[in-house]
Amino acid sequence: MSSTKTRPPAVCDNSSEIFSGATPAGPGPRPEVPRSGPAEPITELRGSLFAFAYRLTGHAADSEDLVQEVLANWFAANHDHVADPRRYLLRAVKNGCLTLLAHRPRRATGTELPEPLVHPRYALDAGLDVSFGLWLTLATLSPLERAVLLLKESFAYEYEELAELLDIRTDYCRQLYHRGQQRLRARQPRFQPSAREQQRLLTAFRRAVTVGDLSQLVQLLRHDVTIYADGGPRPAARRPIYGPQACGRYLLGLYQKFAPGLRAEVALINNSLGLLLFEPASTVADTVVLLEHSSAGVAALYIVRDATRIHL
């Protein structure tokens, strides 16, 4: 039985660690814009524009399309008069993201998780934090607060530059940034184990679930572990589930209900090892399972059960 109380994500990132790492490589194969001559520096911004849009909206496919459209519009016109192309493109992407968020219907029940970034379609720099835990923290901010925080931390803009880019007052911009920082600092710092440790824990997790060993599964979970499940149009946990016993029973119940013929593959998802689940004889991933690690065990699990939002 899941609890109905409201709690913040079990693991998230403080503001000093959120935006570490180099610019991501960006999404996989897409129609290419020109890559020679003066166009080359612009196309090199594709990855950072995509990362900004994704962390602002949580939508991979929409962010991909939006960045492609912004770059196509750039090359379709003469922009020799633009003194700062990066700022110009960020403004265009920001406007598109805020429009997208304004028209997105609100979820009536359940947790809304971001679309998973499955490698190799989305090849990101290993140091870039695109974790689900970060998204749930950012999602507690307004879209404008999120934009201010992302632009300030990722691109080191001064408040005056940010205010101009976002069409707001400088003092209001500073207020939004500090509000976002306070929210992030209240979260626990990110723990990123080695790939070998991730693989070890993921293997032990799969073994405990498949054999139905609740006690073994509970031992892998932290005392304040939380499950966030996003089923999209399909049934899923209406609220986060808290505690190792409740989470263990929920996971075993899911496995017993959906396991027959299910195929699981380990994949790099949002820069962490996770599981892709496939229906029998299907090449379309049906579910993504991501584990959020801590030094004391699994701190959170994120389950996306919506094939329309899993892009391979």
Side-chain angles (χ1 to χ4, degrees), residues 200-218:
R200 185 199 67 77
L201 190 57
L202 195 60
T203 299
F205 172 79
R206 290 177 65 183
R207 184 184 303 117
V209 171
T210 53
V211 301
D213 190 334
L214 179 61
S215 62
Q216 182 184 352
L217 181 58
V218 166

mmCIF file of all heavy atoms in Angstrom, residues 200-218:
data_model
loop_
_atom_site.group_PDB
_atom_site.id
_atom_site.type_symbol
_atom_site.label_atom_id
_atom_site.label_comp_id
_atom_site.label_asym_id
_atom_site.label_seq_id
_atom_site.Cartn_x
_atom_site.Cartn_y
_atom_site.Cartn_z
ATOM 1 N N ARG A 200 26.781 -3.751 -10.685
ATOM 2 C CA ARG A 200 26.646 -4.715 -9.587
ATOM 3 C C ARG A 200 25.292 -4.560 -8.895
ATOM 4 O O ARG A 200 24.581 -5.541 -8.652
ATOM 5 C CB ARG A 200 27.779 -4.512 -8.580
ATOM 6 C CG ARG A 200 27.782 -5.552 -7.449
ATOM 7 C CD ARG A 200 28.582 -5.077 -6.259
ATOM 8 N NE ARG A 200 27.967 -3.943 -5.594
ATOM 9 C CZ ARG A 200 26.907 -4.043 -4.773
ATOM 10 N NH1 ARG A 200 26.340 -5.220 -4.537
ATOM 11 N NH2 ARG A 200 26.401 -2.962 -4.196
ATOM 12 N N LEU A 201 24.920 -3.323 -8.593
ATOM 13 C CA LEU A 201 23.664 -3.075 -7.893
ATOM 14 C C LEU A 201 22.467 -3.408 -8.785
ATOM 15 O O LEU A 201 21.461 -3.962 -8.320
ATOM 16 C CB LEU A 201 23.596 -1.618 -7.442
ATOM 17 C CG LEU A 201 22.455 -1.237 -6.496
ATOM 18 C CD1 LEU A 201 22.486 -2.097 -5.240
ATOM 19 C CD2 LEU A 201 22.532 0.227 -6.124
ATOM 20 N N LEU A 202 22.576 -3.097 -10.065
ATOM 21 C CA LEU A 202 21.484 -3.384 -11.000
ATOM 22 C C LEU A 202 21.284 -4.894 -11.140
ATOM 23 O O LEU A 202 20.151 -5.386 -11.187
ATOM 24 C CB LEU A 202 21.790 -2.758 -12.359
ATOM 25 C CG LEU A 202 20.628 -2.632 -13.348
ATOM 26 C CD1 LEU A 202 19.508 -1.781 -12.776
ATOM 27 C CD2 LEU A 202 21.119 -2.024 -14.662
ATOM 28 N N THR A 203 22.386 -5.653 -11.181
ATOM 29 C CA THR A 203 22.306 -7.116 -11.280
ATOM 30 C C THR A 203 21.660 -7.696 -10.030
ATOM 31 O O THR A 203 20.790 -8.580 -10.116
ATOM 32 C CB THR A 203 23.709 -7.703 -11.472
ATOM 33 O OG1 THR A 203 24.280 -7.195 -12.686
ATOM 34 C CG2 THR A 203 23.651 -9.225 -11.546
ATOM 35 N N ALA A 204 22.068 -7.203 -8.860
ATOM 36 C CA ALA A 204 21.483 -7.691 -7.613
ATOM 37 C C ALA A 204 20.001 -7.334 -7.527
ATOM 38 O O ALA A 204 19.179 -8.128 -7.055
ATOM 39 C CB ALA A 204 22.241 -7.095 -6.423
ATOM 40 N N PHE A 205 19.651 -6.158 -8.008
ATOM 41 C CA PHE A 205 18.253 -5.725 -8.015
ATOM 42 C C PHE A 205 17.413 -6.629 -8.907
ATOM 43 O O PHE A 205 16.333 -7.092 -8.505
ATOM 44 C CB PHE A 205 18.187 -4.274 -8.498
ATOM 45 C CG PHE A 205 16.790 -3.754 -8.742
ATOM 46 C CD1 PHE A 205 16.008 -3.339 -7.677
ATOM 47 C CD2 PHE A 205 16.278 -3.682 -10.027
ATOM 48 C CE1 PHE A 205 14.719 -2.860 -7.900
ATOM 49 C CE2 PHE A 205 15.007 -3.201 -10.252
ATOM 50 C CZ PHE A 205 14.222 -2.796 -9.183
ATOM 51 N N ARG A 206 17.898 -6.917 -10.116
ATOM 52 C CA ARG A 206 17.158 -7.786 -11.038
ATOM 53 C C ARG A 206 16.985 -9.172 -10.446
ATOM 54 O O ARG A 206 15.904 -9.782 -10.554
ATOM 55 C CB ARG A 206 17.894 -7.878 -12.377
ATOM 56 C CG ARG A 206 17.881 -6.606 -13.194
ATOM 57 C CD ARG A 206 18.684 -6.762 -14.469
ATOM 58 N NE ARG A 206 18.104 -7.731 -15.375
ATOM 59 C CZ ARG A 206 18.663 -8.085 -16.534
ATOM 60 N NH1 ARG A 206 19.816 -7.557 -16.907
ATOM 61 N NH2 ARG A 206 18.064 -8.960 -17.319
ATOM 62 N N ARG A 207 18.035 -9.683 -9.817
ATOM 63 C CA ARG A 207 17.972 -11.029 -9.251
ATOM 64 C C ARG A 207 16.932 -11.087 -8.137
ATOM 65 O O ARG A 207 16.122 -12.026 -8.077
ATOM 66 C CB ARG A 207 19.339 -11.433 -8.713
ATOM 67 C CG ARG A 207 19.384 -12.885 -8.192
ATOM 68 C CD ARG A 207 20.737 -13.221 -7.560
ATOM 69 N NE ARG A 207 21.814 -12.999 -8.515
ATOM 70 C CZ ARG A 207 22.779 -12.102 -8.344
ATOM 71 N NH1 ARG A 207 22.777 -11.318 -7.265
ATOM 72 N NH2 ARG A 207 23.736 -11.972 -9.224
ATOM 73 N N ALA A 208 16.928 -10.084 -7.263
ATOM 74 C CA ALA A 208 15.982 -10.084 -6.145
ATOM 75 C C ALA A 208 14.538 -10.006 -6.635
ATOM 76 O O ALA A 208 13.646 -10.674 -6.105
ATOM 77 C CB ALA A 208 16.293 -8.919 -5.210
ATOM 78 N N VAL A 209 14.300 -9.190 -7.674
ATOM 79 C CA VAL A 209 12.947 -9.040 -8.200
ATOM 80 C C VAL A 209 12.486 -10.308 -8.904
ATOM 81 O O VAL A 209 11.361 -10.783 -8.706
ATOM 82 C CB VAL A 209 12.868 -7.818 -9.142
ATOM 83 C CG1 VAL A 209 11.515 -7.783 -9.855
ATOM 84 C CG2 VAL A 209 13.083 -6.524 -8.368
ATOM 85 N N THR A 210 13.366 -10.895 -9.726
ATOM 86 C CA THR A 210 12.952 -12.050 -10.531
ATOM 87 C C THR A 210 12.717 -13.298 -9.691
ATOM 88 O O THR A 210 11.875 -14.124 -10.032
ATOM 89 C CB THR A 210 13.991 -12.352 -11.628
ATOM 90 O OG1 THR A 210 15.289 -12.489 -11.027
ATOM 91 C CG2 THR A 210 14.025 -11.250 -12.661
ATOM 92 N N VAL A 211 13.436 -13.456 -8.586
ATOM 93 C CA VAL A 211 13.202 -14.621 -7.729
ATOM 94 C C VAL A 211 12.131 -14.337 -6.678
ATOM 95 O O VAL A 211 11.729 -15.233 -5.937
ATOM 96 C CB VAL A 211 14.510 -15.084 -7.032
ATOM 97 C CG1 VAL A 211 15.564 -15.441 -8.054
ATOM 98 C CG2 VAL A 211 15.018 -14.042 -6.060
ATOM 99 N N GLY A 212 11.681 -13.072 -6.605
ATOM 100 C CA GLY A 212 10.620 -12.719 -5.673
ATOM 101 C C GLY A 212 11.069 -12.689 -4.225
ATOM 102 O O GLY A 212 10.279 -12.957 -3.313
ATOM 103 N N ASP A 213 12.329 -12.355 -3.990
ATOM 104 C CA ASP A 213 12.891 -12.349 -2.638
ATOM 105 C C ASP A 213 12.745 -10.945 -2.036
ATOM 106 O O ASP A 213 13.573 -10.063 -2.270
ATOM 107 C CB ASP A 213 14.364 -12.766 -2.692
ATOM 108 C CG ASP A 213 14.944 -13.010 -1.301
ATOM 109 O OD1 ASP A 213 14.429 -12.422 -0.330
ATOM 110 O OD2 ASP A 213 15.910 -13.782 -1.191
ATOM 111 N N LEU A 214 11.693 -10.754 -1.228
ATOM 112 C CA LEU A 214 11.425 -9.437 -0.659
ATOM 113 C C LEU A 214 12.527 -9.006 0.305
ATOM 114 O O LEU A 214 12.964 -7.856 0.285
ATOM 115 C CB LEU A 214 10.074 -9.438 0.055
ATOM 116 C CG LEU A 214 9.666 -8.112 0.722
ATOM 117 C CD1 LEU A 214 9.562 -6.988 -0.314
ATOM 118 C CD2 LEU A 214 8.340 -8.273 1.470
ATOM 119 N N SER A 215 13.005 -9.923 1.141
ATOM 120 C CA SER A 215 14.032 -9.551 2.120
ATOM 121 C C SER A 215 15.329 -9.146 1.427
ATOM 122 O O SER A 215 15.985 -8.181 1.846
ATOM 123 C CB SER A 215 14.289 -10.716 3.084
ATOM 124 O OG SER A 215 14.773 -11.858 2.382
ATOM 125 N N GLN A 216 15.697 -9.856 0.370
ATOM 126 C CA GLN A 216 16.901 -9.499 -0.370
ATOM 127 C C GLN A 216 16.731 -8.146 -1.055
ATOM 128 O O GLN A 216 17.650 -7.321 -1.079
ATOM 129 C CB GLN A 216 17.223 -10.575 -1.415
ATOM 130 C CG GLN A 216 18.491 -10.311 -2.210
ATOM 131 C CD GLN A 216 18.715 -11.353 -3.299
ATOM 132 O OE1 GLN A 216 18.003 -12.347 -3.373
ATOM 133 N NE2 GLN A 216 19.710 -11.125 -4.150
ATOM 134 N N LEU A 217 15.544 -7.910 -1.596
ATOM 135 C CA LEU A 217 15.273 -6.644 -2.273
ATOM 136 C C LEU A 217 15.312 -5.479 -1.287
ATOM 137 O O LEU A 217 15.911 -4.426 -1.571
ATOM 138 C CB LEU A 217 13.909 -6.717 -2.963
ATOM 139 C CG LEU A 217 13.449 -5.488 -3.746
ATOM 140 C CD1 LEU A 217 14.445 -5.124 -4.837
ATOM 141 C CD2 LEU A 217 12.064 -5.736 -4.356
ATOM 142 N N VAL A 218 14.709 -5.675 -0.126
ATOM 143 C CA VAL A 218 14.669 -4.614 0.883
ATOM 144 C C VAL A 218 16.076 -4.233 1.325
ATOM 145 O O VAL A 218 16.371 -3.059 1.590
ATOM 146 C CB VAL A 218 13.811 -5.059 2.093
ATOM 147 C CG1 VAL A 218 14.031 -4.139 3.295
ATOM 148 C CG2 VAL A 218 12.340 -5.074 1.708
#
